Amino acid sequence: MIKRIFVEKKSGNDIESKGLLQDLRTNLAIGKLESVRILVRYDCENLTDGEFEYAKNVIFSEPPIDILYEEEFPEVPNSRHFSVEYLSGQYDQRADFAQQALRLINHESKARVATGKVLIFTGDISDAELEKIKNYYINPVESRETDDKTPSTLTQAFPEPEDVPVIEGFGPENIAELGLAMDKNDAQIIADYFKSEGRAPTLTEIRVLDTYWSDHCRHTTFLTTLENVDIEPEYMADVYSDYLANRPVDKSVCLMDIATAAAKRLSAEGKLAELDASEEINACSIEADVDVRGSTEKWLIMFKNETHNHPTEIEPFGGAATCLGGAIRDPLSGRAYVYQAMRITGSGDPRTEISKTLPGKLPQRKITTTAANGYSSYGNQIGLATGQVAEIYDEGYVAKRMELGAVIAAAPKRNIIRQKPRAGDVVILLGGRTGRDGCGGATGSSKAHDGKSLTTCGAEVQKGNAPQERAISRLFRNPEATALIKRCNDFGAGGVCVAVGELADGLVINLDRIPKKYEGLNGTELAISESQERMAVVTNAKDAEKFILLADSENLEATIIAEVVAEPRLMRY
């Protein structure tokens, strides 16, 4: 049986409601709107009456500042309302943490919780104005309008996952059919390779290559050959001429080569002695002498930046939140503690009238304000200070927003062990569970988009789970845990196949062992999901149990999902 409650902030604490009221009056010009009320809706299943009575005022509400209604909320005259909930599969932090809190009451609890919001408007609101409010408030990438009917159960029935199909005769003509981000040349290279293998590729293999070769991962834009370059002012032209005179003659001139030329030259001249070089693919790292209570110690300082332009454009809260989370993951996978951040954004004028929004896009104001909320939410939850924030407003950002997060991290060098994985070592998946909400982020941000993108890109942007990443950060500050790690990689674009695949030349991955958020995921989804807040850790087989116990002490799931093998192939089963 489902138990339903509604929780509303008391007057004086209803900051969100008051803010939305002002927003709708000012930016949608709904002048006859008198008040806005926002109620959080909780549906609870598998709770005893006693557990529910206790949880109402301990978990679901705070009596000093909240009003709680059971089953129904009181209607008021001259009002209209609608209800909103996350799309199926989208991470709901409020529901997740409510379930965790219920397990603290009863460790055997099988309680399920689902949440939504009810928005109530009083005043002389027409049908057209209510529809205008819905279109402004509900972002179809993440949420949907729902009815007021209480469901009969929160248990979702998932069909048995189908076998991963084999794509016979794969070639450039399959790009549109499969919705791929790759170009015709990429597809032809893949077709030729599998002909040499004597077999057709599976859909999983195509999706993995599409991710790895996307502009997001391969940076094809920066590898574009530059044939004609005009530079002003003159002193910059001199710098460019110096670059041309000292670059390798067997490489094309491109933005990537220009960007890395100085570091390569300084390194060749022996002027980057402090640069920390390793086979691990983590953040940029340098060695530094640090005064620790009067004693000089060798530390590693790591730097990383992340751009989430496309995700923040279509889903501002999740895009900006996971921009910061993604920037943190790289130095964190290097076992360094992230302690400082910077945020730089580019947007159109947020004061632009809503009616002037480009078709198929969110209003600049909604993107800007919601992204700021997403970034600050993640930063506050993980405990990261952002010392520099710069917002650039320019018409050049109307077509595509800029969202950049940069971080700096540090760790004692003695705590970071880097060894080459060898046959018999195991790969442990640490942290969050895998879901369908993590599929297609890298390829999605590498495709051309149109007016339909807001309604078709739901799986490409996720809600971050900052407390989960904070738990990983705590674990990686424990020298006892880091001493067991031979190599580590964060989960970003491409999911298991990329994060695990980069750890060693030969691997056998068991997709059935991957912890899932829910049933029904097929092999392709398990292989490429970019679900947030996970790490791939290589340890000696004999150390795996100890590492898993240390992870458990931080309330982190840790599961062996792969084994390093001698044959240089990536295999799944």
Side-chain angles (χ1 to χ4, degrees), residues 66-141:
D66 291 326
I67 306 170
L68 187 143
Y69 311 104
E70 290 193 47
E71 301 305 330
E72 295 180 348
F73 56 89
E75 294 278 3
V76 295
N78 196 30
S79 70
R80 309 187 69 170
H81 76 272
F82 63 84
S83 300
V84 182
E85 65 183 9
Y86 282 134
L87 296 175
S88 178
Q90 186 69 272
Y91 176 63
D92 184 346
Q93 188 180 52
R94 190 189 299 272
D96 181 20
F97 278 64
Q99 289 178 174
Q100 290 187 45
L102 289 167
R103 285 197 292 273
L104 293 176
I105 297 174
N106 175 6
H107 290 186
E108 304 298 321
S109 174
K110 303 295 183 183
R112 293 180 182 272
V113 178
T115 74
K117 283 187 176 181
V118 180
L119 288 84
I120 305 172
F121 308 92
T122 58
D124 188 10
I125 310 299
S126 68
D127 290 344
E129 287 176 323
L130 185 64
E131 197 63 29
K132 193 175 181 181
I133 293 172
K134 289 180 183 179
N135 291 336
Y136 179 68
Y137 185 83
I138 302 173
N139 182 352
V141 165

Side-chain angles (χ1 to χ4, degrees), residues 232-524:
E232 294 180 357
E234 186 175 338
Y235 73 86
M236 286 302 298
D238 292 340
V239 173
Y240 184 66
S241 297
D242 181 63
Y243 154 73
L244 292 176
N246 290 279
R247 59 180 296 278
V249 294
D250 60 336
K251 295 187 68 174
S252 300
V253 176
C254 63
L255 292 175
M256 185 67 79
D257 193 47
I258 293 171
T260 58
K264 290 177 180 176
R265 184 169 170 181
L266 289 170
S267 181
E269 294 174 355
K271 296 178 180 178
L272 292 180
E274 69 275 18
L275 185 66
D276 172 54
S278 75
E279 292 184 7
E280 276 196 331
I281 306 172
N282 294 311
C284 174
S285 179
I286 63 170
E287 287 189 16
D289 290 330
V290 176
D291 185 341
V292 181
R293 300 181 183 89
S295 177
T296 301
E297 295 182 2
K298 285 287 185 186
W299 280 55
L300 294 182
I301 313 297
M302 297 189 184
F303 312 86
K304 182 64 169 65
N305 71 277
E306 179 97 357
T307 55
H308 264 209
N309 304 336
H310 163 71
T312 309
E313 177 78 25
I314 66 172
E315 204 286 85
F317 189 99
T322 54
C323 178
L324 178 58
I328 292 170
R329 282 199 309 269
D330 282 289
L332 180 55
S333 66
R335 283 81 80 198
Y337 176 70
V338 180
Y339 63 89
Q340 186 62 268
M342 174 174 69
R343 180 176 186 242
I344 302 174
T345 62
S347 167
D349 189 341
R351 300 169 298 180
T352 302
E353 294 178 19
I354 304 298
S355 60
K356 295 182 180 179
T357 301
L358 293 177
K361 300 184 78 67
L362 298 174
Q364 293 299 309
R365 171 184 172 79
K366 187 172 182 66
I367 295 174
T368 297
T369 56
T370 310
N373 290 337
Y375 183 98
S376 62
S377 171
Y378 201 98
N380 288 335
Q381 288 187 77
I382 202 168
L384 179 62
T386 300
Q388 169 72 12
V389 177
E391 292 250 314
I392 303 168
Y393 301 121
D394 188 277
E395 290 304 299
Y397 293 114
V398 172
K400 180 59 69 82
R401 177 183 178 79
M402 177 176 71
E403 183 72 34
L404 182 147
V407 298
I408 184 170
K413 187 176 180 180
R414 65 177 180 274
N415 289 355
I416 302 174
I417 310 300
R418 290 177 175 145
Q419 297 176 355
K420 186 176 180 65
R422 301 194 179 279
D425 290 342
V426 296
V427 180
I428 297 171
L429 192 158
L430 173 71
R433 294 192 160 210
T434 298
R436 192 172 287 116
D437 54 309
C439 295
T443 51
S445 61
S446 303
K447 297 176 186 176
H449 291 270
D450 54 30
K452 299 178 181 178
S453 296
L454 278 180
T455 57
T456 59
C457 298
E460 294 175 6
V461 188
Q462 306 154 61
K463 301 292 184 187
N465 185 348
Q468 183 86 337
E469 189 164 69
R470 185 170 183 169
I472 297 173
S473 182
R474 286 196 302 267
L475 177 66
F476 281 8
R477 294 190 77 182
N478 180 353
E480 189 178 4
T482 58
L484 305 176
I485 300 173
K486 299 180 72 171
R487 185 169 291 180
C488 182
N489 203 4
D490 72 287
F491 277 83
V496 167
C497 276
V498 174
V500 178
E502 289 177 339
L503 291 170
D505 294 333
L507 289 154
V508 175
I509 303 173
N510 188 338
L511 298 180
D512 289 336
R513 293 181 181 175
I514 296 173
K516 301 181 289 290
K517 293 180 180 177
Y518 35 77
E519 295 303 316
L521 298 176
N522 62 38
T524 302

